[in-house]
Amino acid sequence: LSEEIYVDQARLRRLAEQALERVGVPPAEASVGADALVEADLRGVETHGVQLLSFYVSCFRQGGFNPQPDIRVVSDTPAVAILDGDAGMGHIVSAQAMLHAMDKARDCGVGVVVVHNSNHSGMMAYHAMMALQHDMIGWALTNGGRVLAPWGSADKLFGNNPQAFAIPTGQELPIVVDMAHSVAAGGKIVMAARRGQRIPLGWGLDKDGQPTDDPHEVLDSGSYCTMGGVKGYCLAVVMEVLAGGLSGGLMTLDFAARWLPFEPYRTCHFFQAIDIGQFLPLSEFKEKTDGLVRQIKGAKCSPGVDRVYAPGELEFLEKERRLRAGIPIHTSVYRELETLAADLDLGFPQ
Amino acid sequence: LSEEIYVDQARLRRLAEQALERVGVPPAEASVGADALVEADLRGVETHGVQLLSFYVSCFRQGGFNPQPDIRVVSDTPAVAILDGDAGMGHIVSAQAMLHAMDKARDCGVGVVVVHNSNHSGMMAYHAMMALQHDMIGWALTNGGRVLAPWGSADKLFGNNPQAFAIPTGQELPIVVDMAHSVAAGGKIVMAARRGQRIPLGWGLDKDGQPTDDPHEVLDSGSYCTMGGVKGYCLAVVMEVLAGGLSGGLMTLDFAARWLPFEPYRTCHFFQAIDIGQFLPLSEFKEKTDGLVRQIKGAKCSPGVDRVYAPGELEFLEKERRLRAGIPIHTSVYRELETLAADLDLGFPQ
């Protein structure tokens, strides 16, 4: 417990904003980037939070991230488009693409915008959830970062290719799903490697496709196990194509084996918005999703289970808690942020 | 082996067509229904093949399926629509909805058509794959038939809610994914119950949410385990809403606990078509998906694995085999089909 410092979200947000501005990101975009990072921390998804800020700053400084991308429409119809992210920070490119998809959904009922030539885009739920305040269903997914193999092999071909859905409700908390296609979060395997710990069998394969409990073997020459066995593999393939294929961007072996701060990774994304009110009256839809959430929360608990949660509910509850009590930041990350702030001549804003 | 009779697909197709016509389905629609059933058998998905024909016929006779539904457009924009299936056979309603979605995709780049008041719609890959010949990406999913519980409970709320994606390629076989959200196919649990066999732990829960190897407990008062644990549950919720919520139709507890031949089940579906050529040149897309499939097939096999398959490849190979050698029909099913044919005064067409 003493390893964590509780920091107010507004303070982290200011730091992230100022850091992004310092490396050349215009204020409005810096604000979006910071919001995406802090929202991840608020929801308890620290792997995609401010702990990445130092790395992102080095990407901007070394050329991997373009601070002022010219995000260009490559092709466009009333309902669909391809954007070229011009190697911008993925969070900022994605937010812009999702806005574009929602504009299209407003015009047509549904909008699909795919992106190539982007970068790491953080927590996909952030982009999907942009749809909620517009009473739309959001779907956001990405490829990038080869970690998964085809079923029956350990040759890394696919990204963990997370996808997120966000579905509006009325009185209840929105339904939000955000999932990658590995059994265990990649961050947990990386963390175990750093700490010299073993991982459970079933999380990863070694280079020969054998189950291993050595996280280094998994990371260096093996691959993550796919969730649901062959099903996770199949879904990862679909996401790879929806993002990289449909956008005319990179897929599978086109990607470098590692993210390097001096090279754009050129990730691809897919965003879809569905304007509910063009299907049925919004009040009717929300009554239905409220009812669904209540049925879930009212389901009988299995032995040892205290409470049944709707998808995304835990993260909303965590956010409420962290808005009040602050965000627990590991001391090592806190020190890194202090160093970063000093380095950028910012001071760690109070 | 002697328990199976190899039957030519054309013979099964004629039987199914004639049977559907006999119960009042117009010829063009009967042909679609028969094609959907036989395609499932050809692909090795017998659970959704002609073994269901006798049950479907009883549904038509007893009022659960409407042989001449007035499939009505409830709401419509250039890119999205809701259809009322008027309790038609789900396969036929779905095919019509998918055609409608593809028309919209042709106009707008993407089309989404949701359906309420339908019935069992068979193998979802059939509907998704309709997109392939039009050089579109197809996505088809359905709700219905409560078998899954929220994570942490065994209260059946959701259908197995299968979703299927079909993605065009150039020279290689198309990429086709068709998956439900349980660990094991429901058909396998039903089969074990019929045969008095146990099921592996991890397939199902009893009424208290405890793992059980008794298929009766699972079917009568428990629920299927969700694939990938909490992830399968979350995806099943999304599918439930996309189909039942967006269409203004039934969801979760609105559904009867069992399919009964004398009552429409009123299943809901969701169909999406993406017109690839409105994103990027088709040849470029197909080159990319061909390359992807070749990388998969070229991946190094894990120990004990003979060959790495692309998603859907096994089913295409099975179809080729069965087109040549016939479709293996279990003798008990064959006898049922003979009885059905006699009953409908058809004879089993040669």
Side-chain angles (χ1 to χ4, degrees), chain A residues 72-202:
Chain A
R72 204 168 47 84
V73 176
V74 178
S75 73
D76 202 42
T77 80
V80 307
I82 299 180
L83 302 187
D84 179 336
D86 196 22
M89 180 179 177
H91 313 58
I92 297 169
V93 174
S94 295
Q96 199 156 322
M98 190 67 197
L99 284 175
H100 202 52
M102 290 192 289
D103 281 345
K104 292 182 176 305
R106 212 167 282 117
D107 289 344
C108 302
V110 59
V112 170
V113 173
V114 292
V115 177
H116 62 234
N117 201 12
S118 181
N119 269 304
H120 191 247
S121 53
M123 176 182 69
M124 293 316 285
Y126 182 82
H127 315 300
M129 287 170 67
M130 286 174 66
L132 294 176
Q133 61 190 303
H134 303 282
D135 291 322
M136 296 185 186
I137 295 172
W139 184 27
L141 61 94
T142 187
N143 70 3
R146 286 191 286 125
V147 290
L148 300 181
W151 189 244
S153 174
D155 279 4
K156 281 193 277 275
L157 281 182
F158 313 107
N160 214 336
N161 296 2
Q163 58 173 330
F165 290 96
I167 297 173
T169 43
Q171 304 301 313
E172 300 293 329
L173 294 168
I175 296 168
V176 177
V177 172
D178 188 346
M179 49 171 279
H181 294 91
S182 57
V183 170
K188 289 189 185 173
I189 298 174
V190 172
M191 194 64 74
R194 274 197 207 144
R195 294 182 179 162
Q197 295 167 340
R198 299 268 145 185
I199 52 173
L201 285 177

Side-chain angles (χ1 to χ4, degrees), chain B residues 23-316:
Chain B
V23 291
V25 179
E29 283 77 27
S31 166
V32 170
D35 191 52
L37 288 174
V38 174
E39 183 70 19
D41 279 313
L42 283 170
R43 291 171 61 82
V45 188
E46 287 93 347
T47 46
H48 291 66
V50 293
Q51 65 114 348
L52 287 171
L53 187 59
S54 303
F55 177 67
Y56 289 155
V57 163
S58 65
C59 291
F60 278 113
R61 284 169 150 180
Q62 297 181 49
F65 285 15
N66 179 355
Q68 293 178 34
D70 173 21
I71 300 175
R72 203 168 46 84
V73 177
V74 178
S75 72
D76 203 41
T77 79
V80 307
I82 298 180
L83 302 187
D84 179 337
D86 196 21
M89 181 178 176
H91 312 59
I92 297 169
V93 174
S94 295
Q96 199 157 322
M98 190 68 196
L99 284 175
H100 202 52
M102 290 192 291
D103 281 345
K104 290 182 178 305
R106 212 167 283 115
D107 289 344
C108 302
V110 58
V112 171
V113 173
V114 290
V115 178
H116 62 233
N117 202 12
S118 180
N119 269 305
H120 191 247
S121 52
M123 177 181 69
M124 293 316 287
Y126 182 81
H127 315 300
M129 287 169 65
M130 287 174 65
L132 294 175
Q133 62 190 301
H134 303 281
D135 290 322
M136 295 186 187
I137 295 173
W139 184 27
L141 62 94
T142 187
N143 70 3
R146 286 190 285 126
V147 290
L148 300 181
W151 188 245
S153 174
D155 279 4
K156 281 195 276 274
L157 281 182
F158 313 108
N160 214 335
N161 297 1
Q163 57 173 331
F165 290 94
I167 296 172
T169 43
Q171 305 300 314
E172 299 294 329
L173 293 169
I175 296 168
V176 178
V177 172
D178 187 347
M179 50 170 276
H181 295 91
S182 57
V183 169
K188 289 191 185 172
I189 298 174
V190 172
M191 195 62 78
R194 275 197 206 143
R195 294 182 178 163
Q197 295 166 341
R198 299 268 145 185
I199 52 172
L201 284 177
W203 283 20
L205 303 172
D206 69 13
K207 67 179 195 312
D208 299 316
Q210 301 278 18
T212 177
D213 64 357
D214 180 347
H216 294 285
E217 287 193 328
V218 174
L219 296 169
D220 296 345
S221 52
S223 60
Y224 301 170
C225 290
T226 50
M227 70 104 185
V230 68
K231 294 183 180 184
Y233 150 55
C234 288
L235 285 176
V237 171
V238 171
M239 305 302 135
E240 193 78 29
V241 174
L242 288 179
L246 203 54
S247 73
L250 304 195
M251 289 201 301
T252 60
L253 298 178
D254 302 333
F255 286 109
R258 304 184 81 88
W259 298 85
L260 297 167
F262 50 84
E263 272 180 3
Y265 201 74
R266 308 201 185 284
T267 317
C268 302
H269 321 302
F270 174 107
F271 302 99
Q272 176 164 334
I274 292 175
D275 190 17
I276 298 161
Q278 294 186 49
F279 286 78
L280 74 172
L282 206 54
S283 57
E284 189 186 334
F285 179 85
K286 290 185 172 182
E287 215 169 280
K288 291 173 81 73
T289 49
D290 273 352
L292 174 71
V293 169
R294 285 172 192 146
Q295 287 169 6
I296 291 172
K297 289 161 71 174
K300 185 185 148 201
C301 293
S302 296
V305 174
D306 290 332
R307 190 168 155 190
V308 175
Y309 293 94
E313 191 185 353
L314 271 171
E315 289 78 9
F316 281 108

Side-chain angles (χ1 to χ4, degrees), chain A residues 23-341:
Chain A
V23 291
V25 180
E29 282 76 27
S31 167
V32 170
D35 190 53
L37 288 175
V38 175
E39 184 70 18
D41 279 313
L42 284 170
R43 291 171 61 81
V45 188
E46 287 93 347
T47 45
H48 292 66
V50 292
Q51 65 115 348
L52 289 169
L53 186 59
S54 303
F55 177 67
Y56 289 155
V57 163
S58 66
C59 291
F60 278 112
R61 283 171 151 178
Q62 296 181 50
F65 285 13
N66 179 354
Q68 292 177 35
D70 174 21
I71 301 174
R72 204 168 47 84
V73 176
V74 178
S75 73
D76 202 42
T77 80
V80 307
I82 299 180
L83 302 187
D84 179 336
D86 196 22
M89 180 179 177
H91 313 58
I92 297 169
V93 174
S94 295
Q96 199 156 322
M98 190 67 197
L99 284 175
H100 202 52
M102 290 192 289
D103 281 345
K104 292 182 176 305
R106 212 167 282 117
D107 289 344
C108 302
V110 59
V112 170
V113 173
V114 292
V115 177
H116 62 234
N117 201 12
S118 181
N119 269 304
H120 191 247
S121 53
M123 176 182 69
M124 293 316 285
Y126 182 82
H127 315 300
M129 287 170 67
M130 286 174 66
L132 294 176
Q133 61 190 303
H134 303 282
D135 291 322
M136 296 185 186
I137 295 172
W139 184 27
L141 61 94
T142 187
N143 70 3
R146 286 191 286 125
V147 290
L148 300 181
W151 189 244
S153 174
D155 279 4
K156 281 193 277 275
L157 281 182
F158 313 107
N160 214 336
N161 296 2
Q163 58 173 330
F165 290 96
I167 297 173
T169 43
Q171 304 301 313
E172 300 293 329
L173 294 168
I175 296 168
V176 177
V177 172
D178 188 346
M179 49 171 279
H181 294 91
S182 57
V183 170
K188 289 189 185 173
I189 298 174
V190 172
M191 194 64 74
R194 274 197 207 144
R195 294 182 179 162
Q197 295 167 340
R198 299 268 145 185
I199 52 173
L201 285 177
W203 283 19
L205 303 171
D206 70 12
K207 69 180 193 312
D208 299 316
Q210 301 279 18
T212 177
D213 63 359
D214 180 346
H216 294 285
E217 287 192 331
V218 174
L219 295 168
D220 296 346
S221 53
S223 60
Y224 300 170
C225 291
T226 50
M227 68 105 187
V230 69
K231 294 183 181 186
Y233 150 55
C234 288
L235 285 177
V237 171
V238 171
M239 304 302 133
E240 193 78 27
V241 174
L242 287 179
L246 203 54
S247 72
L250 305 195
M251 287 200 303
T252 60
L253 298 177
D254 302 333
F255 286 108
R258 306 184 79 90
W259 298 86
L260 297 167
F262 50 85
E263 271 181 2
Y265 201 74
R266 307 200 187 285
T267 317
C268 301
H269 321 301
F270 174 106
F271 302 98
Q272 177 164 336
I274 293 176
D275 189 16
I276 298 161
Q278 294 185 50
F279 286 78
L280 75 172
L282 205 56
S283 57
E284 189 186 334
F285 179 84
K286 290 186 172 181
E287 216 169 280
K288 291 172 82 72
T289 49
D290 273 351
L292 173 71
V293 169
R294 286 173 193 146
Q295 286 168 8
I296 291 172
K297 289 162 70 175
K300 187 184 144 197
C301 293
S302 296
V305 174
D306 291 332
R307 192 169 153 188
V308 176
Y309 292 94
E313 191 185 352
L314 270 171
E315 288 78 9
F316 281 109
L317 298 178
E318 189 63 35
K319 179 175 175 178
E320 280 175 31
R321 228 179 341 258
R322 292 183 174 202
L323 280 173
R324 284 195 312 271
I327 294 169
I329 300 287
H330 196 275
T331 48
S332 66
V333 173
Y334 191 85
R335 273 194 295 272
E336 239 178 64
L337 292 175
E338 284 182 320
T339 308
L340 179 72

